[in-house]
Amino acid sequence: MGEEAGEPVYDAIAALRRLADIFERRRQQLARAAGLSDAEWRVLEEIGSATFMPSLFAQSLDAHPAAVSRLLRQLQDRGLVRSAVSSEDGRRRIYSLTASGRRVLDRLRASRERAIDTVWQGLPRIELARFARFSHRLAERLERYAEAEE
């Protein structure tokens, strides 16, 4: 099969690429509006989930642990995150959001919800459900393919 204009597979790939690009652009815009980088926002979200472990987070992003440590220091210096030594394991640090960190994350979530309401609300629910099902199937296929190629 060639990469011909109008070919449904290539049209779908182009649409997916466009969606991914604009999704990333909007995420960066939201982060900048809150005075954060996208990476800082991701760390704040993870810390807010209460299951944050820097080494696992770095692994999930395929990032170097030192890069995550730098982000944590930056967020601590800005008063958005605090750390404490684990009472169970003195070698481990526990990270949590400060009140300022929670407020920043709350503002980000509110901005994201406004964007979701503006863009997604009003679209036919049946089309959204169909899109979600298809997207999940496609993601599973891409994940399996990527794993097989590794």
Side-chain angles (χ1 to χ4, degrees):
M1 179 187 328
E3 189 173 334
E4 300 173 20
E7 179 69 38
V9 169
Y10 292 100
D11 285 348
I13 291 168
L16 180 59
R17 185 176 302 125
R18 183 176 173 206
L19 276 171
D21 289 348
I22 193 64
F23 217 81
E24 184 60 29
R25 179 176 162 201
R26 278 299 300 142
R27 185 171 174 84
Q28 289 173 2
Q29 287 173 341
L30 287 168
R32 266 195 315 274
L36 299 171
S37 69
D38 182 49
E40 289 171 328
W41 180 7
R42 288 178 197 276
V43 171
L44 283 181
E45 283 183 315
E46 283 295 313
I47 292 171
S49 74
T51 59
F52 179 73
M53 291 184 65
S55 58
L56 292 178
F57 181 71
Q59 191 176 33
S60 74
L61 291 180
D62 199 24
H64 196 278
V68 174
S69 292
R70 276 192 303 278
L71 286 170
L72 287 166
R73 271 194 307 279
Q74 290 168 354
L75 293 169
Q76 286 176 317
D77 291 347
R78 293 172 55 197
L80 301 175
V81 170
R82 70 174 147 261
S83 70
V85 176
S86 169
S87 59
E88 298 156 3
D89 181 353
R91 298 168 296 174
R92 188 169 159 242
R93 300 197 69 70
I94 304 296
Y95 293 91
S96 60
L97 298 176
T98 63
S100 294
R102 281 191 299 280
R103 282 192 299 273
V104 166
L105 206 48
D106 287 344
R107 280 195 314 272
L108 274 163
R109 289 177 178 150
S111 295
R112 184 173 50 198
E113 285 302 314
R114 280 191 303 276
I116 289 170
D117 287 345
T118 300
V119 174
W120 293 85
Q121 296 305 321
L123 292 173
R125 292 183 65 77
I126 193 144
E127 286 184 33
L128 289 171
R130 190 177 306 129
F131 176 74
R133 282 191 307 274
F134 175 78
S135 297
H136 287 295
R137 279 196 329 265
L138 180 60
E140 287 169 4
R141 291 176 69 127
L142 284 168
E143 285 169 347
R144 281 195 306 270
Y145 184 78
E147 287 170 6
E149 291 293 310
E150 291 175 346

